Amino acid sequence: HPMFPRLDQIAFVVRDTEAAVRYWAERLGVGPFFVAERVTLPSFTYRGVASEPLLTLAIAYWGDQQVELVEQHNDAPSAFRDFLSDRGEGFQHMACFSDDVDLDVDRCLAAGMTIQQDALSAFDKVTRVTYLEDPGSAGPVFELVQKTPVKMERFAEMKAITADWDGREAMRAMP
C-alpha cells in the first residue's frame, strides 16, 4: 500500500522560467504553462523558521500529469533555493492532492518523515501545502496539497486547455 495514493504533480526547480517553458513546449510538446509571477506563499516556514521566498510558479499538464516549474527570485531560505544551490536545476518534488492534508501529514510524521516546508497556497492564500522529506533518503521531497473545489476546478480548466493546445502561446497568465 503506497504512502501516497497517487502522484498528481512533478515539480522542477529552474533558474529561468521562460527558458524552461520554451524547452518543455518546443522540445517535449508540453504546454501551455500557466504562470503566476513573483508570488509569495503566506505563512511560509522552512525547517520551522518563517521565510518569504519570492517565486514564479508555472503549471502545465502532460497528459494527466501536472508539471510545475518553480523559480525563486530572492535569497530567502527555502527548499527551492537550497536545491538549486546544492544540485542545480532539476526534479525537486512530487505532489499529491489530498482530501485532508492534516491527516496525511500526521500519517507521514508517524512514519518518520519530517516537515521541510509548510505554507498556504499562493493561489488562494488559505489552503495548506506541506512539503515532507524522508531523513536519510536521497529521494525527492513530497508535497501534500489540500484539495478544494475551487483549486480542483482551476486545475481541470488548465488540463482542458492543455488538451486542445495548438503549440502557440506557451506562457499564459494563471486563470
Side-chain angles (χ1 to χ4, degrees), residues 85-131:
S85 172
D86 295 346
R87 300 185 189 183
E89 294 181 289
F91 171 57
Q92 190 262 341
H93 73 265
M94 302 186 290
C96 174
F97 304 149
S98 170
D99 293 320
D100 187 336
V101 167
D102 294 331
L103 181 68
D104 286 338
V105 166
D106 288 346
R107 189 173 45 81
C108 291
L109 294 175
M113 297 179 99
T114 59
I115 294 175
Q116 181 192 62
Q117 297 184 152
D118 202 37
L120 299 178
S121 169
F123 304 113
D124 65 14
K125 314 286 192 228
V126 295
T127 57
R128 184 176 180 189
V129 294
T130 301
Y131 298 76

Side-chain angles (χ1 to χ4, degrees), residues 49-70:
V49 178
S51 184
E52 277 194 52
L54 184 62
L55 308 170
T56 291
L57 306 172
I59 293 175
Y61 277 87
W62 186 355
D64 290 332
Q65 184 65 64
Q66 188 181 94
V67 176
E68 181 182 42
L69 308 175
V70 180

Side-chain angles (χ1 to χ4, degrees), residues 129-172:
V129 294
T130 301
Y131 298 76
L132 298 132
E133 57 191 345
D134 206 351
S137 166
V141 170
F142 300 94
E143 179 188 16
L144 290 166
V145 178
Q146 180 67 51
K147 279 187 190 178
T148 64
V150 170
K151 185 180 291 284
M152 299 319 292
E153 190 175 292
R154 289 176 78 192
F155 288 161
E157 180 184 342
M158 289 181 217
K159 187 176 175 185
I161 291 168
T162 299
D164 294 329
W165 185 51
D166 61 7
R168 295 188 307 228
E169 291 182 77
M171 285 182 71
R172 302 180 184 187

